[in-house]
Amino acid sequence: MKFELDPLPYDYADLEPVIDAETMALHHGKHHAAYVAGLNLALESAPLLAELPLEQVLLHADSAPVATRAAIRNMGGGHFNHAFFWQCMSPKRAAPASGPLASAILSNFGSWDGFMERFEGAGARHFGSGWVWLCVNTELGDRLEIATLGNQDTWIGSPFRGLLTCDLWEHAYYLKHRNRRAEWLKQWWQLVDWQGVAKRYENILETIALSRSGDKRRGGSRMY
Ligand code: MN3
């Protein structure tokens, strides 16, 4: 099985003016494509891993030969993070959701403005390349947390489940926003597909609830 670069659900120019079409063409058609190609190349020396879905490949990267583990993590992480990032945006510019996500944002961060300030601040302060995430920390019930990860690291294998992410690599914003990462983060909100974020949150809550009812049947052991 070879991993493939999926087409985007929107055109490269659809996220203008926040992301210009040239940045999108390079970011998806070159950067993301290179991660997919690099992952397929690395998996040539780990044929059993190559049969697994991407999250399982990342979870079990340590079963690959030592010399290819870093490539699998970096290239696989780059594929995973970018595929997630494209899903976080929509040219429809949906308003913040109501329902469980909105309630959780208010109870965890006090207000939408408070949440956005903290997300932007974490992203702006992150040193070097990486990603800023809104996650559910499944070890703490349904607690929302903001986290940054370096390079192409992912939350796979941790108690975190991602809801929303923004790319902090300069290739994501440099053509239009130059070195102004804080400006990129502030304007990026205009593109967020909140309905998709809300749907991911509801799915994760369902998974947590199912896992808990399963735990009760098994006598209380936790199986995250
Ligand atoms: Mn990128």
Side-chain angles (χ1 to χ4, degrees):
M1 187 180 85
K2 287 248 178 193
F3 286 98
E4 287 177 6
L5 180 69
D6 289 328
L8 297 179
Y10 37 78
D11 289 332
Y12 289 155
D14 284 351
L15 304 182
E16 298 253 17
V18 178
I19 310 179
D20 56 288
E22 187 183 7
T23 293
M24 284 300 295
L26 286 166
H27 200 173
H28 180 259
K30 301 292 180 192
H31 289 278
H32 188 175
Y35 286 116
V36 175
L39 174 62
N40 286 328
L41 186 65
L43 287 174
E44 284 178 8
S45 56
L48 289 178
L49 275 185
E51 298 302 317
L52 300 175
L54 182 57
E55 292 196 25
Q56 294 295 314
V57 170
L58 289 166
L59 198 57
H60 299 293
D62 277 350
S63 70
V66 175
T68 49
R69 285 176 198 170
I72 290 172
R73 271 197 214 93
N74 292 335
M75 297 296 142
H79 181 25
F80 178 86
N81 287 330
H82 283 95
F84 203 110
F85 177 57
W86 307 131
Q87 286 176 41
C88 289
M89 300 183 289
S90 165
K92 293 175 193 154
R93 293 157 166 73
S98 56
L101 175 70
S103 308
I105 292 277
L106 296 183
S107 64
N108 282 273
F109 303 106
S111 66
W112 279 93
D113 284 348
F115 156 65
M116 291 196 284
E117 258 171 47
R118 282 182 52 186
F119 188 95
E120 287 171 36
R125 281 192 305 275
H126 178 80
F127 182 75
S129 296
W131 298 80
V132 56
W133 285 90
L134 172 67
C135 291
V136 180
N137 184 341
T138 58
E139 271 188 347
L140 299 175
D142 50 4
R143 167 93 69 85
L144 297 184
E145 293 191 23
I146 291 164
T148 64
L149 291 169
N151 299 318
Q152 296 299 358
D153 289 350
T154 72
W155 44 261
I156 305 287
S158 82
F160 285 73
R161 300 291 177 274
L163 296 176
L164 175 71
T165 191
C166 185
D167 194 337
L168 303 176
W169 286 62
E170 285 181 343
H171 66 233
Y173 60 87
Y174 208 87
L175 285 185
K176 179 172 174 69
H177 301 276
R178 299 299 169 184
N179 59 328
R180 300 183 295 275
R181 186 190 281 180
E183 172 190 295
W184 153 241
L185 286 160
K186 195 168 276 302
Q187 293 191 10
W188 179 73
W189 294 119
Q190 296 173 40
L191 301 175
V192 171
D193 175 12
W194 288 107
Q195 284 168 4
V197 181
K199 185 78 199 147
R200 280 190 283 282
Y201 184 57
E202 286 162 35
N203 289 343
I204 290 167
L205 291 185
E206 257 175 49
T207 308
I208 292 172
L210 281 173
S211 153
R212 279 188 185 142
S213 61
D215 289 348
K216 277 184 198 134
R217 285 197 298 276
R218 286 192 299 270
S221 63
R222 287 162 63 96
M223 292 292 288
Y224 292 127

